[in-house]
Amino acid sequence: MGSDSLGKNSKYIEIVNLRHFYPIKRGIFRRVVGHVKAVNDVSFDIRGGETLGLVGESGCGKTTVGRAILRLIKPTAGEVRFKGVDVGVLQERDNTALRRGMQIIFQDPYGSLNPRMTVEDIIGEAPRYHGIVPRGELAGYVGEIMEKVGLRPESRTKYPHEFSGGQRQRIGIARVLAMKPEFVVCDEPVSALDVSIQSQVLNLLADLRSEFSLTYLFISHDLSVVRHISDRVAVLYLGRMVEIAPKESFFERPMHPYSQALISAIPSPSPDTPKNRIMLEGDVPSPINPPDGCIFSTRCPKAMPRCASESPHLAERTGSGDGHMVACFLYE
Ligand code: SF4
């Protein structure tokens, strides 16, 4: 399951100049009067076997990135390559293979499960449709997958409402795992769960990644969660990527002023440990009319005159060669 001939450092998924603009329509003729620039010229790689955490505040475009990679929405522009193949072309040619290899775990485990289907049918429906296992072996296969995610196979005839929130997310994970995926977008998979359950589900996802050589894009607004599970961290602000780095480098030496503010807001494990929280002024600007120059310039405590008119590029600035990249004039 999930076998990958690519090395860990290969460009397993490549996102190149991805844009997604939602049209704003008004009037009886539904004329397009503007666009919500949800994702604006984003490029990054995901390496085979890694977990890349994608963070940012609500509305920053991270879910749109995840859905555009999986082609659940058609991006306005840009390219996504899965093991060197353009996903847009792959979708037209062989949608089945695409769907099987690339899967998504949703935030709301209850909303994403059909309440009228038993767990056995929920997990077994897609493998049956795609012929993942012979029909005669499907029941045994579903039982195996249930055990892998920590569910008792005896509960296969139950319905989603008979399970707890954490168990329902395990059903959602089992449904994805049953498709033998290689790459999984985890879209806020624990944010609807109690804190006490979150680490159990995170540990399960980490174990499954190791066992089945999976690659994750882990989308979250919660930096503590991202720190727990990710190998690298990417930060989005208002549809643009402002920093991407190995986890250790990111949390020890965050470079972008926005990342520094996000990290300063992580609650301290001990109430006695003083925190120098960086408070950002103002609201996040509208993605319909984002600021000129640096996207963060209207809220940045370190903004300089040029930041209002010039846009910094994402580039490696540390000189360490560890791939820590930032889009900020402070490091030029
Ligand atoms: Fe702040 Fe300027 Fe850096 Fe943007 S480029 S983050 S406004 S200092």
Side-chain angles (χ1 to χ4, degrees):
M1 196 181 284
S3 63
D4 174 30
S5 59
L6 294 177
K8 184 153 177 135
N9 292 321
S10 302
K11 288 184 174 182
Y12 183 72
I13 311 256
E14 293 168 84
I15 291 96
V16 186
N17 304 125
L18 189 72
R19 281 195 174 86
H20 193 69
F21 295 177
Y22 293 99
I24 304 164
K25 297 180 181 174
R26 296 248 166 80
I28 52 172
F29 297 113
R30 311 298 295 150
R31 269 197 330 117
V32 175
V33 295
H35 288 92
V36 176
K37 295 170 181 160
V39 176
N40 198 354
D41 204 9
V42 165
S43 300
F44 62 102
D45 300 330
I46 305 173
R47 301 166 185 166
E50 78 166 348
T51 298
L52 177 67
L54 184 61
V55 300
E57 292 162 293
S58 173
C60 70
K62 50 194 190 304
T63 289
T64 303
V65 168
R67 279 158 207 238
I69 291 174
L70 296 186
R71 220 64 188 188
L72 297 177
I73 52 174
K74 189 176 176 192
T76 308
E79 204 172 290
V80 176
R81 298 189 202 113
F82 178 39
K83 296 197 286 187
V85 179
D86 183 339
V87 170
V89 174
L90 184 68
Q91 185 188 36
E92 282 154 25
R93 221 178 43 212
D94 188 356
N95 200 9
T96 307
L98 175 75
R99 283 186 188 281
R100 280 175 50 170
M102 304 171 83
Q103 295 285 324
I104 183 166
I105 297 168
F106 293 101
Q107 173 181 359
D108 175 9
Y110 198 53
S112 66
L113 302 175
N114 186 332
R116 286 186 287 276
M117 287 172 74
T118 64
V119 170
E120 179 166 38
D121 288 339
I122 289 170
I123 299 171
E125 184 184 36
R128 185 190 310 118
Y129 179 79
H130 291 288
I132 302 255
V133 289
R135 267 176 192 267
E137 295 173 20
L138 189 63
Y141 180 67
V142 168
E144 264 176 49
I145 297 282
M146 289 181 74
E147 280 184 343
K148 289 282 179 207
V149 302
L151 293 168
R152 290 189 302 116
E154 305 86 83
S155 56
R156 62 174 63 226
T157 54
K158 290 186 176 175
Y159 291 85
H161 73 269
E162 297 176 81
F163 293 85
S164 67
Q167 287 171 327
R168 284 199 286 263
Q169 192 54 294
R170 287 173 191 268
I171 298 168
I173 294 168
R175 180 175 57 179
V176 163
L177 200 62
M179 290 296 287
K180 300 188 176 179
E182 295 180 51
F183 169 65
V184 181
V185 172
C186 305
D187 188 2
E188 301 265 14
V190 298
S191 57
L193 304 178
D194 289 346
V195 174
S196 58
I197 307 293
Q198 284 188 357
S199 57
Q200 292 174 20
V201 174
L202 288 175
N203 290 338
L204 171 66
L205 287 169
D207 291 346
L208 294 174
R209 188 191 80 166
S210 303
E211 184 172 352
F212 298 113
S213 304
L214 301 173
T215 300
Y216 290 152
L217 176 66
F218 193 97
I219 296 169
S220 179
H221 68 281
D222 186 335
L223 274 172
S224 309
V225 166
V226 163
R227 186 180 219 158
H228 186 98
I229 197 161
S230 303
D231 299 304
R232 289 192 303 145
V233 180
V235 183
L236 273 187
Y237 180 79
L238 212 56
R240 292 213 187 232
M241 186 154 292
V242 297
E243 187 160 4
I244 183 165
K247 174 172 72 176
E248 295 74 22
S249 183
F250 178 76
F251 283 101
E252 281 162 25
R253 293 177 300 283
M255 295 175 77
H256 198 278
Y258 178 58
S259 307
Q260 291 167 356
L262 287 180
I263 290 176
S264 80
I266 300 175
S268 171
S270 158
D272 300 331
T273 310
K275 287 281 295 182
N276 294 322
R277 180 154 185 196
I278 301 167
M279 301 302 291
L280 293 177
E281 309 233 323
D283 296 325
V284 180
S286 166
I288 299 171
N289 192 17
D292 293 331
C294 173
I295 198 81
F296 191 53
S297 57
T298 55
R299 299 174 80 201
C300 180
K302 297 177 181 171
M304 303 168 280
R306 70 182 290 201
C307 305
S309 56
E310 294 176 53
S311 180
H313 298 297
L314 188 71
E316 197 163 348
R317 310 277 183 199
T318 61
S320 65
D322 69 350
H324 193 147
M325 300 171 85
V326 65
C328 176
F329 292 130
L330 288 172
Y331 304 96
E332 282 192 350

